[in-house]
Amino acid sequence: MHVEENVPLARYTTIGTGGPARWFARPENSPQLHDLLGWAREHALAVEVVGLGSNLLVHDGGVDALVVKLAGELADAHVEGELLVMGGGAPNAVGLHRARAAGLGGFEFASAIPGTAGGGVRMNAGAYGREWGDVLVDALVVDAEGERTLGSEQLDLSYRHSGLAPGEVVARVSFGLEPSTADAVKAIAAELLAQRKATQPTNKRTFGSVFKNPAAGPGAGRMIEDCGMKGHRIGGALVSPRHANFIENGGEATSADCIALMAEARRRVHEQFGVELEHEVQFLGPLELPAV
């Protein structure tokens, strides 16, 4: 298994910021992944995973860890009966294409989530009223000790949360879908995609939603907008004029710019609404938001 050193990560993220990974590898099957994780443990290295690079903000100074990008069979997808089986690194769009071709419905909501099956498990990704936990049957999780298959309850899935620990990597996910038709799946996915394009900055460099929506009251985007933050800019990063819960790379942005912008939005929301927003985007490297 070839492990590269000091690999720039900005090109592997959708926001386009961040420094290099100390170590970087692309395992293509579960045995390779297990060997890598064992190697990381032997060298006392943290393990991070990049899928399509969405929902990630990487420290400008880089990440002192083994960063893994799943490839080969770990990034493929196929259908078995009414099960959609996806490698942890398989793009959601590929899974939806396989399901549509097989006349299976229930995964259309994933068309609005530009990530991977494994990343979706780690954060229990969701959109338009559905989430991974609604369709997940089980997931194959690999760590330095070996591999095991876990169901939804064992994964402890809740809103934008799972119980996966650092060093545990989702190698495969099985989704239970329902009979449909290719035309019906295509129509539903097209409608959801149109909604997403109408309300989110899909043609800009972002990392996706910045903050989780609070359990009650207005959504994070609405509160940030009501605080007058739309279009607010720090360095090369700006709060999206289209949807205030997105940060755009307006040109030469750094992760530090994004953090500063997040901190200001969080401070204003707390000051005006008394709500302490929790970030949805995952941090790689020594990044943190100041207390409000």
Side-chain angles (χ1 to χ4, degrees):
M1 185 73 237
H2 180 58
V3 180
E4 301 174 75
E5 194 171 356
N6 294 321
V7 174
L9 291 178
R11 68 174 183 261
Y12 289 105
T13 69
T14 54
I15 188 73
T17 67
R22 179 70 177 86
W23 304 100
F24 187 87
R26 300 176 178 84
E28 296 188 354
N29 53 51
S30 292
Q32 286 185 1
L33 176 59
H34 175 250
D35 289 347
L36 270 174
L37 299 180
W39 176 83
R41 185 175 65 174
E42 289 174 10
H43 292 81
L45 293 171
V47 175
E48 303 285 0
V49 182
V50 294
L52 298 188
S54 59
N55 198 47
L56 289 178
L57 189 62
V58 179
H59 191 277
D60 293 316
V63 185
D64 187 17
L66 168 65
V67 176
V68 174
K69 184 171 177 62
L70 302 181
E73 67 183 52
L74 297 178
D76 201 1
H78 66 276
V79 168
E80 298 177 5
E82 293 184 2
L83 286 180
L84 171 62
V85 182
M86 299 178 64
N92 297 332
V94 171
L96 180 60
H97 177 77
R98 300 285 190 271
R100 183 181 68 202
L104 293 176
F107 199 61
E108 294 90 343
F109 74 96
S111 65
I113 305 171
T116 62
V121 173
R122 180 162 290 278
M123 65 173 295
N124 191 23
Y128 301 111
R130 302 205 77 191
E131 57 190 17
W132 251 231
D134 294 328
V135 290
L136 183 144
V137 174
D138 56 42
L140 179 69
V141 177
V142 179
D143 61 17
E145 299 294 332
E147 61 183 44
R148 60 196 187 284
T149 301
L150 304 176
S152 289
E153 289 190 7
Q154 294 166 299
L155 288 164
D156 190 25
L157 300 181
S158 59
Y159 176 66
R160 302 301 176 266
H161 166 83
S162 76
L164 288 171
E168 294 182 328
V169 180
V170 177
R172 187 182 69 240
V173 192
S174 295
F175 300 100
L177 304 183
E178 56 202 26
S180 183
T181 66
D183 287 344
V185 171
K186 182 177 180 180
I188 294 171
E191 181 181 350
L192 294 179
L193 190 58
Q195 290 182 42
R196 178 170 173 260
K197 287 184 176 180
T199 58
Q200 299 178 13
T202 56
N203 62 339
K204 304 292 184 180
R205 287 185 294 171
T206 78
F207 47 66
S209 297
V210 180
F211 297 105
K212 298 178 182 180
N213 286 321
R222 171 57 62 188
M223 288 190 287
I224 296 169
E225 179 177 352
D226 288 347
C227 289
M229 288 288 290
K230 264 192 172 181
H232 188 79
R233 186 178 190 122
I234 294 179
L238 71 150
V239 175
S240 173
R242 173 160 287 193
H243 193 307
N245 199 27
F246 287 76
I247 288 176
E248 298 178 9
N249 186 338
E252 305 302 322
T254 64
S255 293
D257 294 338
C258 296
I259 287 288
L261 202 54
M262 290 171 66
E264 178 63 12
R266 197 163 172 256
R267 182 191 68 79
R268 291 195 195 184
V269 166
H270 186 260
E271 185 177 88
Q272 184 164 329
F273 295 96
V275 175
E276 188 170 328
L277 292 175
E278 181 182 352
H279 62 88
E280 180 172 321
V281 60
Q282 302 297 298
F283 294 159
L284 266 64
L287 290 171
E288 62 179 352
L289 288 172
V292 293

